[in-house]
Amino acid sequence: MIIDVHTHINNYHEDRVVSLEDCLNLLSQTMLDNKVDYSLVLSSYKVNEHRPSTKQVVEAIKGRNNLGVVSGISYLNYNHRDIREIGEYLEKGLIKGLKFYPGYEPFYPNNIRLKVWYEMAIEYDVPVMFHSGDTYAPTGKVKYSHPIHIDDLAVDYPDLKIVICHVGNPWIKDCMEVVYKNKNVYADISGLVLGDFSDKFERYMKKEIEEMITYAGDPNYLLYGTDWPISNMKSYLKFMDQLELADEKKELILWKNAAELFKIDITKL
């Protein structure tokens, strides 16, 4: 079984608008082609014609049992209506987690303005995901997205389940320490490459991920994700296959950790 915890249906080729339905159909077909059983779709911190809102995504995936939604939250622009709407989705089990975008927006994860969201995530027992490491856009400010800042949050909110996206790349060793130290922190391996892995970069990343597992122990904190469509699913699965890990440890990464953390009912897949 394969669960991809990190996909998007944003239109990254912003000279043209692709319908939400077409994006979902492409995601579903790509999952089918690569034998991916379930994917989480992460909405953006901003909403425009290229980036659908959480509400639009929640409504669009109805009837697609192999997809779930993680709601993108804007640090700069949320209001009381957003809090109420997301709270209702959590109450109804329509979203699986919350996603924040430090680096793309100028804030550190332990900012008091986000306390209401963290308390909501704890109440409904859903993870919070953080963009971490390099930013896809050159306008991002990476001082905010360094994985070391997650440590403050993990200590201050021990009941909050936290996911460091992209293993904090290029600060993977820092991510490794934060994950090792804090039992409430996880990491996904998404977005390590644009498109396909080259052979050379695949070898480099293989060494980095294997070192992380050697340091932090059995990978019950590591999640499989791709960042599709930015990263290629087929190339990512090939990368996973290259990792020198026992099959049971690969299974933890490929689906078991995600199913437990995000409460995904695999009997329905």
Side-chain angles (χ1 to χ4, degrees):
M1 181 169 286
I2 302 168
I3 295 175
D4 188 334
V5 302
H6 199 128
T7 71
H8 298 280
I9 47 175
N10 302 329
N11 171 28
Y12 293 102
H13 304 285
E14 301 196 352
D15 54 329
R16 58 191 171 87
V17 178
V18 180
S19 76
L20 180 50
E21 192 67 20
D22 284 347
C23 289
L24 283 171
N25 288 339
L26 180 58
L27 171 58
S28 293
Q29 186 59 54
T30 309
M31 289 168 61
L32 191 63
D33 292 344
N34 291 281
K35 298 182 173 62
V36 175
D37 298 273
Y38 186 96
S39 289
L40 290 172
V41 176
L42 281 51
S43 63
S44 182
Y45 62 100
K46 60 183 178 181
V47 177
N48 55 37
E49 60 181 344
H50 301 288
R51 294 169 185 250
S53 67
T54 296
K55 182 178 182 180
Q56 288 173 301
V57 181
V58 166
E59 291 175 354
I61 71 158
K62 283 178 180 172
R64 296 178 186 253
N65 292 333
N66 63 344
L67 296 178
V69 182
V70 173
S71 176
I73 306 295
S74 172
Y75 163 79
L76 293 173
N77 298 314
Y78 78 82
N79 58 38
H80 67 94
R81 293 182 187 86
D82 298 317
I83 295 171
R84 188 165 65 244
E85 179 181 78
I86 298 304
E88 288 173 0
Y89 288 150
L90 287 167
E91 183 85 41
K92 295 174 182 175
L94 294 174
I95 58 177
K96 294 287 191 182
L98 307 177
K99 169 77 184 291
F100 301 89
Y101 291 84
Y104 291 100
E105 292 188 312
F107 70 94
Y108 293 110
N110 67 340
N111 192 294
I112 194 67
R113 180 167 158 77
L114 299 173
K115 186 172 187 283
V116 62
W117 295 109
Y118 300 153
E119 289 175 343
M120 195 182 291
I122 291 168
E123 180 181 347
Y124 291 101
D125 194 26
V126 299
V128 292
M129 304 178 75
F130 287 88
H131 171 80
S132 186
D134 184 35
T135 55
Y136 180 66
T139 51
K141 296 179 177 179
V142 295
K143 72 175 182 179
Y144 295 107
S145 56
H146 196 294
I148 201 72
H149 301 305
I150 297 295
D151 182 59
D152 277 16
L153 188 66
V155 171
D156 293 345
Y157 294 87
D159 296 324
L160 186 65
K161 295 173 180 175
I162 303 166
V163 179
I164 300 174
C165 298
H166 323 305
V167 286
N169 182 42
W171 299 294
I172 295 176
K173 280 188 169 57
D174 300 86
C175 173
M176 179 196 307
E177 167 57 19
V178 176
V179 167
Y180 172 71
K181 174 181 173 284
N182 300 288
K183 300 308 177 191
N184 56 329
V185 180
Y186 303 75
D188 80 27
I189 63 169
S190 69
L192 298 177
V193 66
L194 298 179
D196 294 340
F197 283 92
S198 66
D199 289 344
K200 188 173 184 180
F201 192 70
E202 185 178 67
R203 287 195 299 273
Y204 168 77
M205 272 301 166
K206 173 180 179 292
K207 182 172 178 287
E208 292 282 309
I209 299 300
E210 287 173 353
E211 281 184 1
M212 181 176 188
I213 294 167
T214 299
Y215 180 86
D218 282 349
N220 49 16
Y221 48 82
L222 208 54
L223 306 163
Y224 177 76
T226 59
D227 216 6
W228 183 93
I230 292 171
S231 303
N232 181 291
M233 283 193 187
K234 184 177 181 180
S235 186
Y236 244 87
L237 287 168
K238 178 177 174 285
F239 170 70
M240 275 299 300
D241 195 47
Q242 302 294 320
L243 293 178
E244 292 178 31
L245 292 173
D247 287 347
E248 60 268 20
K249 292 184 180 181
K250 283 188 183 178
E251 273 197 295
L252 288 174
I253 300 169
L254 282 169
W255 70 273
K256 284 186 175 178
N257 295 336
E260 182 179 350
L261 180 62
F262 291 96
K263 298 189 181 71
I264 298 164
D265 186 354
I266 61 169
T267 65
K268 294 182 178 178
L269 302 180

